[in-house]
Amino acid sequence: MNSKKNIIDTLRGADKASVEKLMAEEAKKNEIFAKAMERVSEVNENGFSDTVSGVEHYDRKISMKRMASIAAAAVLCTGGVLGGIKLMKDNKFKNNNNSSNTESTTDITETTREEVPYEITKNAVQHLVDGNFEHFRKFSCDYEVTCTEYDTYNKSEPYTIKGSLKLDNKNYIGWNSMEKTYAQPDHEEYVNARVFEYSYNGYRISTNETYEGDIKNKRYDVSFGGDSEYIDLVYLPYIYSSVWEKLKDTSTWDISGEKNENGRRIVTVEGEYGNDLVTSGPSEFYTADIDAETGVVLYESITNVRGEVTFESKYTNYKFDDEAEAPMSPAEFKQFMLDGGYEKYAHSRYDLDVLDGVSPATTTVAYEPVNTVVTTEAHPVPEELTGDFLRERSLNATHYYDKFSAEWTTSRKTNYGDENGPFYDDCQGTIKIDNTTMTGEYNRTEFGTDGTPYDYTHFYFLNNIYITADDYIGTEYTASHKGAEYKSIDNEFLWWWTKPDRVFFEYYGGFRYICMDNGRKRKNGNVDDIINESEWTINGERYENGRRIASVSFSYEQLHEGQYEPMIITADVDVETGIWLANELYYMTDSGEKGMLHSSFKATNYKFDGEAEAPMTADEVMTYLDENDYGLAQSPVY
């Protein structure tokens, strides 16, 4: 009524031009509304209104506000993505020295509270739960999660989690505090833990305190997980919930009732899930209370075929929007961390200064071609080889040649004893390196256990730029995707080594034993994964393709999930450069002999220096990525 009165008042005092403009806008609005209504009609005709057997009939009415919001979001997303790709194509690694330290966004559009339809269908419930933390501005609660049996999904023993969370989607701030205790913390993997998480401006600050009575450590990690419109908390209760997965099949559950609690309209659903081999019926029965406006699962309970509750998650003291408790400010959380005596993890990319309101720098990484001539000095090889000499050459293999190219294959036979076997069985690819220009390319195709390729990955080393291009064609578990990102060489090797002064691809099997800082320690002083290495034994020599090759073997212990596994490795080593041309990795038996084969690698058609095939140049890489629609973008961690 008020809107009609405003229009009339405007028309009375308007000139001819204003009237014509207003009428044109009104006609356009009517056209959009008519198309939207036509879309609603199509949706209803295609069966998006369900009839639930055995319960009251619910008829979902689609909100026009939601349709308009989705359309607007689609336009904005499309424009942003295409604009970013076009900028990369136009600039092609051109230097942009305009650093931008931007304050957190304050001009934020208010989220419109959706109307809850009088009757709610199963499709409406499913839609809400699938994106439940997107349908509110603010939310706070206490929570408790209990698992009473071995959880194969989270790979843990019985546990209890108690915590609280406060989320502010309007200002992109999140806070989570949780304590996880195990029923029987009897070994290192299942130790009680206390975690504090804070998300601000795309950063996530998380602590890790493990204890068996007393606190064992108090450390924090700062990472960047997205843009400033992103709350990045990984231990929220819904991570442990599986209701969204169970609701996908609407034939296995029903809406069993409604209730009002704390002023909220709550829908209760009940269903069954899984397959019990003994009874040939469902293996789980579940019930859940779902907030009808936001889709937040306020309560969930799972029961097995014996009638035992195996999992339960419940929110208490929950509050939404204006009534929700606000998370502490960034300055308050920073002071909380300082007062608590937390120490930063060595691998953490950032520190607590990110809480001072500074956004990630947006300076584009500038590509700097090599202008000087880089040559490899001559390195003599003794007539009589020793294990120590071959070990030294292997550790520093990148320094003993100018150029190298090869085709290669790998085969993985086991996955550290995983009864389900490895996700992939074989890989094949090519490698091309030119140390004189500091350019290189490494291409890899991964095959599933059935021999079908599922992932094509390309790595490009361009002096100070590192590019990863991934064409993942998808599996029954994960959808396909395609994309590429670039970052600086400094950040690519930040965790493991100092910046390499030669082209290096850490996943290439021929570099299996290279450590860039010429020692067996990581950059931050942590012990390497490989320890207690035995002396290298030379098992034989041969000449192949004009190269002198030595076969060696040795044993070591491989650190895996907190335990050291004894391994035996054999390798064919190019004597002049130290590059491995083949290797086989075995588990060691109790008697110290070769056991089950873990994995193998072999290089073929290998060439060195003047005979080696050249990698693509920076311009050729850009052209390839453009023509194949990889959508190159700068990595958040550049």
Side-chain angles (χ1 to χ4, degrees), residues 282-468:
S283 59
E284 293 180 347
F285 304 87
Y286 65 92
T287 181
D289 289 343
I290 301 169
D291 182 70
E293 182 180 337
T294 64
V296 173
V297 180
L298 299 171
Y299 175 78
E300 175 186 2
S301 177
I302 299 176
T303 305
N304 61 21
V305 293
R306 297 183 297 276
E308 301 166 336
V309 176
T310 60
F311 179 86
E312 188 176 52
S313 174
K314 56 185 175 182
Y315 290 169
T316 57
N317 301 322
Y318 53 83
K319 301 174 184 177
F320 290 83
D321 298 330
D322 293 339
E323 297 178 355
E325 298 179 24
M328 66 176 70
S329 68
E332 290 172 329
F333 183 74
K334 181 179 181 179
Q335 193 60 47
F336 169 79
M337 298 291 290
L338 295 174
D339 293 342
Y342 295 92
E343 297 181 359
K344 185 173 73 170
Y345 273 107
H347 65 256
S348 181
R349 297 180 181 272
Y350 307 97
D351 54 36
L352 295 178
D353 290 344
V354 301
L355 294 168
D356 296 334
V358 179
S359 295
T362 57
T363 303
T364 300
V365 179
Y367 171 62
E368 299 174 0
V370 175
N371 296 317
T372 58
V373 177
V374 180
T375 57
T376 303
E377 297 179 3
H379 297 279
V381 176
E383 183 175 344
E384 184 175 350
L385 299 176
T386 65
D388 287 342
F389 170 82
L390 292 173
R391 180 180 185 275
E392 188 276 338
R393 277 291 158 102
S394 293
L395 284 172
N396 301 279
T398 57
H399 296 271
Y400 293 102
Y401 65 90
D402 284 335
K403 302 174 183 180
F404 174 72
S405 66
E407 298 170 2
W408 60 268
T409 58
T410 60
S411 179
R412 189 180 182 95
K413 299 305 180 184
T414 68
N415 193 21
Y416 293 110
D418 186 345
E419 61 182 9
N420 296 319
F423 182 65
Y424 67 89
D425 188 35
D426 297 295
C427 293
Q428 67 182 31
T430 61
I431 187 170
K432 300 175 183 179
I433 290 175
D434 186 346
N435 285 326
T436 65
T437 59
M438 290 294 284
T439 57
E441 63 177 90
Y442 171 60
N443 306 292
R444 180 179 68 198
T445 300
E446 297 182 57
F447 299 86
T449 53
D450 61 354
T452 303
Y454 69 89
D455 195 11
Y456 304 93
T457 311
H458 312 282
F459 302 88
Y460 302 103
F461 195 115
L462 302 176
N463 188 25
N464 63 317
I465 300 293
Y466 195 92
I467 296 177
T468 302

Side-chain angles (χ1 to χ4, degrees), residues 191-260:
V191 172
N192 300 331
R194 182 181 303 157
V195 174
F196 297 104
E197 292 182 289
Y198 194 82
S199 181
Y200 170 64
N201 218 16
Y203 290 100
R204 173 177 173 263
I205 301 92
S206 62
T207 69
N208 180 23
E209 303 174 21
T210 55
Y211 64 91
E212 294 172 295
D214 297 328
I215 298 295
K216 293 180 65 175
N217 63 62
K218 297 184 72 172
R219 297 180 181 174
Y220 72 87
D221 181 29
V222 185
S223 59
F224 182 69
D227 58 29
S228 61
E229 300 181 9
Y230 185 66
I231 293 181
D232 184 16
L233 299 174
V234 301
Y235 290 108
L236 296 179
Y238 73 84
I239 297 297
Y240 298 90
S241 171
S242 57
V243 168
W244 65 273
E245 177 70 25
K246 294 177 170 64
L247 295 181
K248 287 183 177 179
D249 185 355
T250 57
S251 68
T252 62
W253 60 277
D254 284 316
I255 299 174
S256 61
E258 286 191 29
K259 61 184 176 182
N260 287 301

Side-chain angles (χ1 to χ4, degrees), residues 44 48-50 56-62 117-121 124:
N44 286 333
F48 285 90
S49 179
D50 287 358
E56 255 187 279
H57 174 73
Y58 293 91
D59 185 22
R60 167 69 164 169
K61 294 179 174 58
I62 299 176
Y118 179 74
E119 295 180 326
I120 303 176
T121 66

Side-chain angles (χ1 to χ4, degrees), residues 61-82:
K61 294 179 174 58
I62 299 176
S63 169
M64 287 304 302
K65 286 181 293 184
R66 168 164 288 280
M67 292 187 66
S69 298
I70 293 172
V75 171
L76 290 174
C77 290
T78 303
V81 172
L82 293 179

